[in-house]
Amino acid sequence: MPEPGATRAGEGDDGGGRLSLQTDRLRVTALGVEALQAWVDGDADRLRTETGARFDVPVATPPLFGEDLPSFRDRMAETPDELGWWVWLISRLEDGRAVGVCGLGGRPDLAGATVLGYAVYPHSEGRGYATEASRAVMAWALGQPEVRCVRATVPVGNLGSV
């Protein structure tokens, strides 16, 4: 029996033509330039079309993510083949509600290392969503032939993550 939160399905199409991972409770969807642009624009309807997830209105970003959103959008516009190497949206399977983001710091370096980060909305903290999504994204990354390890750093004050 898989551990709670284990990825049930590997990389695949979520039925909407999106690169997506699924765990027991979550869908983790790689975001391309159109979804990232919709988020920059604060367009909940377009975000739902692009991601399949439901966003609160007005659309906000999880803590520590908003300031980087335009640079992620620009990166995906320049290199759309890097889908999966940057931002993944975390949403609940039960209702499709967006609960946060998880992501990598791009393709691995020469040593085969990439960096993992995440942020969840305050209303979703303390439920293990970041851990569950991080496990899925790490499994995806470690399944890529050029990746040897995934690293993460956590702010000292974030006791839940430490």
Side-chain angles (χ1 to χ4, degrees), residues 19-151:
L19 173 59
S20 154
L21 308 170
Q22 185 173 307
T23 69
D24 289 342
R25 302 180 298 161
L26 305 172
R27 173 162 286 112
V28 188
T29 306
L31 299 185
V33 68
E34 295 299 326
L36 293 167
Q37 183 62 56
W39 212 339
V40 167
D41 294 342
D43 187 333
D45 291 334
R46 206 162 95 232
L47 262 171
R48 185 173 191 143
T49 298
E50 293 296 328
T51 66
R54 184 173 57 84
F55 287 78
D56 291 344
V57 177
V59 174
T61 59
L64 307 175
F65 178 66
E67 65 192 41
D68 296 323
L69 183 57
S71 63
F72 288 126
R73 180 221 33 224
D74 295 346
R75 180 66 185 229
M76 285 307 303
E78 293 169 12
T79 55
D81 62 316
E82 290 189 352
L83 185 68
W85 291 107
W86 297 99
V87 181
W88 295 75
L89 175 69
I90 307 167
S91 59
R92 293 190 305 223
L93 288 175
E94 71 182 56
D95 60 4
R97 186 176 190 192
V99 297
V101 293
C102 188
L104 300 168
R107 291 190 180 276
D109 62 20
L110 294 175
T114 189
V115 178
L116 176 87
Y118 54 83
V120 295
Y121 290 105
H123 63 71
S124 297
E125 289 177 346
R127 293 183 173 97
Y129 295 145
T131 300
E132 194 170 323
S134 293
R135 285 181 179 152
V137 172
M138 272 195 322
W140 177 87
L142 291 168
Q144 307 308 306
E146 64 269 36
V147 176
R148 297 185 56 160
C149 73
V150 177
R151 295 188 175 116

